[in-house]
Amino acid sequence: MSQNQLKIIALVTMVFDHIGAFIPNAPIWFCYIGRISAPIFMFCSIQAYIHTKDKMKYIFRLGVAAVVMTIGNSLLYLWFNTHSISCYPIENNFFATLYIGTVIVYIYDKCKSKVGFFIIVILWQVAVTVGTDLLDINALSIFKHFNGTIYDLLNTVLGVMIRCEGGPLIVLLYLLMYLAVINKNINMLWLVYFGFVMLLQLILLKFYNRQGIIFWSLLPFVKYQGLMILALPVFYWYNGLRGSRIKAFYYIFYPLHIWVLYSIGIFSKI
């Protein structure tokens, strides 16, 4: 299968997942199907990053998409709030996760010392996480209704890993998958992905019911997240070809379908 065909599989399963997430009384198995969507998109993003002639342009495009979706998510939430309609913030923005993942692998590629790579990433994440929190407490209150939007934008632009969709563990998986892919060893990719998902599921079984922002920030997953394992065969089907060039469609469809399903879900509860 070409990269575009893999994206179509990811897109279809993603729609099932989000129908299950946003539409009341949708079958839970819709969300089961959707567990394979994110890993396939990550795999395709890694392939795109590896083969693009301009890596900085690709990273910038993901960053812009993440910012646009952050603004759209916030404005839609504010619209419902200003019309006194009960709603909840939209937390979906996988563009931001892919953006951070590509920045991470770009830093990895540029660092001669792997120790230096870890130091840079740790310092970056500590600085932006603490910095955005301090701004949220001390400065953003002057913006009143838009302080949440600006806070979310800062988190997106600065790449705060702990607040992206999937959190630090999904970004780590992106890096591990990248390292396996650049070694051109499908068996290594299989082992890395299988081991990661199984370990994640074991951690969820032990800590899923724990309370607190630390646990939720590090483990923002559903208890059946281990169904991600079903994405493994799809990686084997990849034939190395890009397929039809319709990348703009995915950048447009992803946020639009989230906003439409979210709105349908909110209105159906009125």
Side-chain angles (χ1 to χ4, degrees):
M1 283 189 171
S2 68
Q3 188 180 139
N4 188 58
Q5 289 171 320
L6 296 187
K7 286 181 180 179
I8 291 173
I9 293 174
L11 183 143
V12 172
T13 55
M14 174 185 70
V15 171
F16 272 99
D17 186 31
H18 292 148
I19 291 174
F22 291 120
I23 306 302
N25 303 316
I28 186 65
W29 58 267
F30 277 25
C31 295
Y32 296 165
I33 292 173
R35 293 309 94 194
I36 72 170
S37 177
I40 298 174
F41 275 126
M42 289 166 63
F43 179 77
C44 291
S45 172
I46 290 167
Q47 295 294 341
Y49 174 84
I50 290 172
H51 294 104
T52 185
K53 296 178 180 179
D54 191 337
K55 298 189 187 311
M56 288 301 297
K57 183 178 179 180
Y58 178 65
I59 293 171
F60 179 76
R61 185 163 65 242
L62 283 173
V64 170
V67 166
V68 170
M69 189 160 186
T70 298
I71 294 171
N73 288 351
S74 297
L75 291 179
L76 188 57
Y77 173 66
L78 285 171
W79 186 89
F80 279 111
N81 261 335
T82 55
H83 288 76
S84 300
I85 299 173
S86 178
C87 61
Y88 51 88
I90 305 174
E91 298 180 350
N92 303 75
N93 190 347
F94 206 64
F95 285 141
T97 307
L98 296 178
Y99 164 62
I100 296 172
T102 50
V103 171
I104 292 282
V105 298
Y106 183 83
I107 295 171
Y108 180 88
D109 287 341
K110 294 299 180 181
C111 281
K112 295 180 180 180
S113 167
K114 302 316 170 190
V115 174
F117 162 73
F118 285 110
I119 291 173
I120 290 172
V121 171
I122 290 170
L123 290 177
W124 162 35
Q125 287 303 309
V126 169
V128 296
T129 303
V130 174
T132 50
D133 277 345
L134 290 175
L135 278 173
D136 185 42
I137 295 170
N138 298 314
L140 297 184
S141 59
I142 63 174
F143 295 103
K144 296 183 179 179
H145 297 299
F146 295 98
N147 64 321
T149 302
I150 296 171
Y151 178 70
D152 290 341
L153 273 174
L154 285 172
N155 280 291
T156 299
V157 173
L158 298 176
V160 182
M161 199 184 300
I162 204 168
R163 300 193 187 101
C164 71
E165 185 177 356
L169 290 180
I170 291 299
V171 177
L172 173 61
L173 177 60
Y174 189 98
L175 174 62
L176 294 175
M177 290 175 64
Y178 172 75
L179 295 177
V181 169
I182 60 174
N183 277 294
K184 299 181 179 179
N185 188 332
I186 191 65
N187 292 324
M188 182 184 293
L189 175 62
W190 192 94
L191 288 171
V192 166
Y193 187 80
F194 180 84
F196 183 94
V197 174
M198 289 298 97
L199 180 59
L200 175 61
Q201 188 60 48
L202 288 173
I203 293 172
L204 286 172
L205 289 173
K206 184 173 180 61
F207 295 108
Y208 184 75
N209 291 322
R210 294 288 182 92
Q211 300 296 319
I213 191 169
I214 294 178
F215 285 103
W216 181 243
S217 296
L218 295 176
L219 297 169
F221 306 109
V222 290
K223 58 185 176 182
Y224 46 85
Q225 196 69 37
L227 290 173
M228 288 170 60
I229 202 70
L230 298 176
L232 265 180
V234 181
F235 301 153
Y236 278 100
W237 297 340
Y238 179 54
N239 58 16
L241 301 177
R242 181 169 55 187
S244 302
R245 299 193 65 179
I246 54 172
K247 61 184 178 183
F249 169 75
Y250 299 105
Y251 282 97
I252 296 170
F253 180 84
Y254 174 58
L256 282 183
H257 97 282
I258 290 285
W259 298 334
V260 169
L261 290 175
Y262 172 83
S263 300
I264 293 172
I266 295 299
F267 280 122
S268 68
K269 297 176 182 178
I270 299 176

